[in-house]
Each structure stands twice: as structure tokens, then as C-alpha cells.
């Protein structure tokens, strides 16, 4: 019944405008399809296997070099399905790797250089899933991944909340008083600002926390430390000079699990649904759009606005010589309801009356536990 109801909803929603081209007509609510998790040892569909034949050798070579996957490898590789492969951004020892292993304990975690590469690796059947950060309790939203959610055709099938515990790492024999500078991701440095200020260390930003640890180890630096995980210390042979150096103990990163196909939403446990939409300009339009959830007692857990990339500014129509007047925005919203719930379906039907574009990014189980 749930699948029938969702397909029925899809057939009733018609289009208005696409965010990239207002002349075209489109409101998209993808029908839910069953996503069958491949077990270790199962065979991948022929379509994927026929793309390229050197994927296993490519990934194994990368892992031996501890090097992340880059976009140049995507055209040469594809998953062979011997075990669930999960992409993450960074190098071995990254918090994202730990989140991927928390989501799928028996997975083969595949490092990627950039967020874009992780999205593309799922689309091209190189991996089965991607686990990517979307927001941090201290640092806020990861805007790049919000933009990529709309650019790519993947679906959110789950979420993972991971408690981040930063450590100050250095090569063996190096003491805290020997350090002059520290390397890490900008958010990690910001999250440890008080501790690093007290130590009088110069902060230098790099692409990721584990990458900072790897650099300090490979270069055998004696005046430089890294802010990273205890796992990174173990992998790269560094000494932990201090643990839990973050300013706030409640430092949690929320990750999204992405797949090529959506899952069938249920009502047997708490679900969350993520959508993105755009609106015509006008007094109270955003209020009306959000009210469709309040009227049905649906709780919103997140709202994020991002300017439209291809049409960021709308021309003034008040006779002001046609000069740009205001931004056009996309609104990303998470709400606590399953798309199998008729109440949620009715809310989106109502939202359609105000939206110029609407897309369901995923309806997935709520994750409550943390490590």
C-alpha cells in the first residue's frame, strides 16, 4: 500500500519550473524503488560489470598506496560486487571513514579525493554507497554537499551521527613544547580554537584531518603537529600528545548515506524525509510553504537556503531600470515523517501550490545513536 500511495502521489504532481530553466516545467517527486543491498559474494548487474574490467586492481592499488580515489580513476574502475563498497572523502583515518564503517561495519571503505568524486563513483557503479558529511553541531552545514545533492541523481537512504573526538598528534619524540604550528581541516581547527590558542600554536588549514596526520608523519616534521583522530595516529604511526581537545564535548557530525536508488519508506520506525524546492518571490511565500508542515503537525528538523547557481539574481520589475534586485534561492528542508505517511504526501501536495520546483532527496530511517 505504501508503494502504491507514493506512485499515486507522483502521478498527481505536475510541473511548474526548473531552477535552472524557468521556461521548462518540472516538479520532481521520485517514486520509491526497492534497493536490494548486495551481500558479500553476490554478483553485480551485468550493466556495471561491462563498463570496465580493471576496477578491483585499481582500487587495490590505491589502497596499497594509501591514496584517495580521484576523478581520473572513475573512467577506469567499477565495483565487482565482492563486498559492499562505500565511498568517503579523505584518506585513511578520516572521520568519514569511521562513519562509513559505522553505517556498514563489514564494508570496504574507499577513499576519494573530493566530495564530487564520491558522488560520481556511486553514479558510475564504482562503489555501492557514499557516506558524506552534511552538517556539524559546531561548524554548521557543509554547503558543498548540499549543492552536489541537487547536481547529482543520487538518493538519501540513511544517515549516521558520529561523535568527533579530536586529538593532538605528533611524531614520536616530539613534545607539546616543541610544537610551533598545527595542521588540520579548517573546521577541526575552529573546533579546537581554545586549546590551540592556549598552546600558542600557529594554525594552518589543509584538506582533511587525516591528510594532516599523514603529511606530518611522511615529512617527519618535528615542530608541527596535527589535529586528527586516534585512528589516524595509529595508521600513520604518530604519538597522541592530547586527547579530546575540542572546545565542546558535544561535537557531532551528521553524515548522509547516498545510493543510486531510493528505499521504500516505511512506518514501522521513525523516518525523516529530505526535500529541496524553490519559490516565487512574494510576501509571506516562504511562510506559506513552511506552514503546510505546521498545519499537519510535521516537525521540521533542518532548513537550509542556497542561491540558485544558474539564476542567482532576479531582475527588478518595479521600474528600477531592470537592475537585479534580489536573490533566488533553493530551500533544503528535513522533516520528521515518512513518505509512506499520507499526512506527508498531503503536505507535499499542498507545497506544490507554492513551489516552482520540488524534489524529494530521500525518505530514510532516523539515526539516533552516536559513537
Amino acid at each position: 500500500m505504501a508503494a502504491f500511495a507514493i506512485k499515486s502521489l507522483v502521478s498527481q504532481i505536475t510541473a511548474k519550473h526548473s531552477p535552472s530553466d524557468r521556461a521548462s516545467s518540472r516538479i520532481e517527486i521520485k517514486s520509491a524503488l526497492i534497493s536490494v543491498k548486495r551481500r558479500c559474494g553476490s554478483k553485480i548487474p551485468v550493466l556495471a560489470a561491462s563498463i570496465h574490467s580493471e576496477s578491483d586492481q585499481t582500487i587495490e592499488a590505491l589502497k596499497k598506496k594509501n591514496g584517495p580515489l580521484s576523478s581520473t580513476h572513475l573512467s577506469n574502475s567499477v565495483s565487482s560486487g565482492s563486498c559492499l563498497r562505500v565511498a568517503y572523502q579523505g584518506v585513511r583515518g578520516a572521520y568519514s571513514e569511521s562513519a562509513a564503517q559505522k553505517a556498514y561495519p563489514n564494508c570496504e571503505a574507499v577513499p576519494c579525493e573530493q566530495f564530487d568524486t564520491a558522488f560520481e563513483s556511486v553514479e558510475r557503479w564504482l562503489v555501492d554507497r557514499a557516506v558524506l558529511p552534511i552538517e556539524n553541531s559546531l561548524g554548521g552545514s557543509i554547503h558543498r554537499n548540499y549543492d552536489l545533492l541537487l547536481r547529482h541523481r543520487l538518493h538519501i537512504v540513511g544517515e549516521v551521527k558520529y561523535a568527533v573526538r579530536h586529538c593532538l598528534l605528533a611524531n614520536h619524540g616530539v613534545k607539546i613544547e616543541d610544537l610551533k604550528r598545527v595542521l588540520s581541516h579548517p573546521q577541526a581547527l575552529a573546533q579546537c580554537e581554545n586549546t590551540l590558542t592556549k598552546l600558542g600554536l600557529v594554525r594552518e588549514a589543509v584538506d582533511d584531518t587525516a591528510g594532516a596526520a599523514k603529511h606530518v608523519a611522511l615529512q617527519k616534521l618535528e615542530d608541527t603537529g596535527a589535529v586528527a583522530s586516534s585512528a589516524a595516529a595509529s595508521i600513520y604511526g604518530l604519538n597522541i600528545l592530547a586527547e579530546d581537545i575540542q572546545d565542546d564535548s558535544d561535537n557531532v557530525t551528521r553524515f548522509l548515506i547516498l545510493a543510486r536508488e531510493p528505499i521504500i519508506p516505511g512506518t514501522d520506525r521513525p523516518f525523516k524525509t529530505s526535500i529541496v524546492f524553490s519559490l516565487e518571490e512574494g510576501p509571506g511565500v516562504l511562510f506559506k510553504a513552511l506552514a503546510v508542515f505546521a498545519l499537519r503537525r510535521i516537525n521540521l528538523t533542518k532548513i537550509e537556503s542556497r542561491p540558485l547557481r544558474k539564476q542567482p539574481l532576479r531582475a527588478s520589475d518595479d521600474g528600477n531600470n531592470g537592475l537585479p534586485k534580489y536573490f533566488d534561492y533553493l530551500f533544503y528542508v528535513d522533516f520528521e515523517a515518512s513518505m509512506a505517511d499520507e499526512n506527508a504526501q498531503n503536505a507535499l501536495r499542498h507545497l506544490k501550490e507554492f513551489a516552482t520546483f520540488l524534489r524529494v532527496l530521500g525518505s530514510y530511517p532516523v539515526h539516533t545513536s552516536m559513537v
Side-chain angles (χ1 to χ4, degrees):
M1 289 298 292
F4 175 79
I6 293 170
K7 291 180 180 179
S8 176
L9 173 62
V10 174
S11 65
Q12 294 181 42
I13 294 185
T14 56
K16 293 184 180 178
H17 302 291
S18 163
S20 60
D21 183 3
R22 291 185 177 275
S24 65
S25 292
R26 190 164 55 118
I27 280 189
E28 263 182 274
I29 294 189
K30 297 281 289 183
S31 60
L33 302 175
I34 296 178
S35 178
V36 180
K37 184 187 295 184
R38 291 195 295 278
R39 305 293 182 183
C40 291
S42 63
K43 296 181 179 179
I44 199 165
V46 176
L47 173 64
S50 65
I51 299 177
H52 292 285
S53 61
E54 300 178 353
S55 62
D56 287 334
Q57 294 88 338
T58 301
I59 289 182
E60 287 305 318
L62 288 169
K63 291 177 70 178
K64 288 179 180 178
K65 292 163 52 180
N66 287 332
L69 190 68
S70 67
S71 57
T72 58
H73 299 108
L74 292 180
S75 61
N76 300 319
S77 307
V78 66
S79 173
S80 66
S82 61
C83 196
L84 196 71
R85 284 176 172 164
V86 181
Y88 67 92
Q89 188 275 328
V91 298
R92 290 190 61 216
Y95 293 108
S96 292
E97 181 184 30
S98 298
Q101 292 169 339
K102 181 179 180 181
Y104 299 102
N106 298 318
C107 75
E108 179 183 358
V110 180
C112 298
E113 282 186 346
Q114 303 294 334
F115 292 131
D116 310 56
T117 313
F119 275 84
E120 292 173 15
S121 65
V122 179
E123 287 181 325
R124 300 189 187 188
W125 293 78
L126 175 62
V127 298
D128 306 286
R129 302 284 189 275
V131 174
L132 300 172
I134 197 65
E135 60 177 327
N136 176 267
S137 58
L138 301 182
S141 300
I142 290 85
H143 296 128
R144 177 63 178 165
N145 283 336
Y146 273 105
D147 294 337
L148 290 172
L149 281 173
L150 188 63
R151 181 181 302 178
H152 294 271
R153 307 299 302 177
L154 300 183
H155 304 270
I156 305 172
V157 296
E159 64 176 3
V160 179
K161 295 176 182 176
Y162 189 83
V164 176
R165 301 179 62 185
H166 292 306
C167 299
L168 179 60
L169 312 180
N171 282 298
H172 288 277
V174 176
K175 301 178 181 179
I176 289 183
E177 51 267 28
D178 298 328
L179 298 179
K180 295 180 180 178
R181 62 180 183 142
V182 64
L183 310 179
S184 196
H185 187 275
Q187 280 206 4
L189 294 174
Q191 292 162 13
C192 303
E193 183 176 0
N194 291 341
T195 300
L196 300 179
T197 299
K198 289 178 182 178
L199 294 174
L201 298 176
V202 175
R203 281 150 274 189
E204 295 186 14
V206 295
D207 287 341
D208 60 88
T209 56
K214 182 178 180 180
H215 178 76
V216 169
L218 291 179
Q219 299 300 318
K220 296 180 170 44
L221 301 177
E222 296 183 355
D223 65 345
T224 305
V227 174
S229 66
S230 58
S234 176
I235 291 171
Y236 301 112
L238 296 178
N239 185 33
I240 299 177
L241 298 179
E243 294 182 301
D244 292 330
I245 64 171
Q246 62 273 2
D247 298 339
D248 194 323
S249 59
D250 293 327
N251 185 12
V252 178
T253 298
R254 176 173 167 251
F255 294 80
L256 297 180
I257 304 173
L258 303 174
R260 287 179 290 275
E261 299 292 348
I263 60 173
I264 290 288
T267 56
D268 57 327
R269 51 181 166 162
F271 264 70
K272 181 184 293 183
T273 299
S274 297
I275 63 172
V276 57
F277 60 91
S278 60
L279 301 167
E280 288 287 356
E281 177 65 18
V285 175
L286 180 57
F287 171 81
K288 293 176 183 177
L290 298 181
V292 306
F293 302 102
L295 290 172
R296 294 167 177 85
R297 302 184 66 80
I298 297 176
N299 185 44
L300 302 183
T301 59
K302 173 78 172 176
I303 180 168
E304 182 78 26
S305 62
R306 298 291 293 152
L308 281 173
R309 287 293 185 98
K310 294 185 178 179
Q311 190 175 341
L313 289 172
R314 190 183 302 184
S316 171
D317 56 2
D318 60 0
N320 190 25
N321 298 323
L323 296 176
K325 183 180 179 182
Y326 48 77
F327 285 100
D328 269 337
Y329 287 96
L330 288 167
F331 298 97
Y332 293 81
V333 168
D334 295 342
F335 59 88
E336 292 181 332
S338 169
M339 280 304 297
D341 185 348
E342 186 176 359
N343 207 30
Q345 296 175 19
N346 289 335
L348 292 192
R349 286 194 188 97
H350 195 176
L351 178 59
K352 172 227 170 184
E353 298 176 12
F354 312 103
T356 57
F357 167 80
L358 173 61
R359 178 176 159 191
V360 174
L361 299 171
S363 191
Y364 48 95
V366 173
H367 189 265
T368 56
S369 65
M370 287 177 285
V371 173

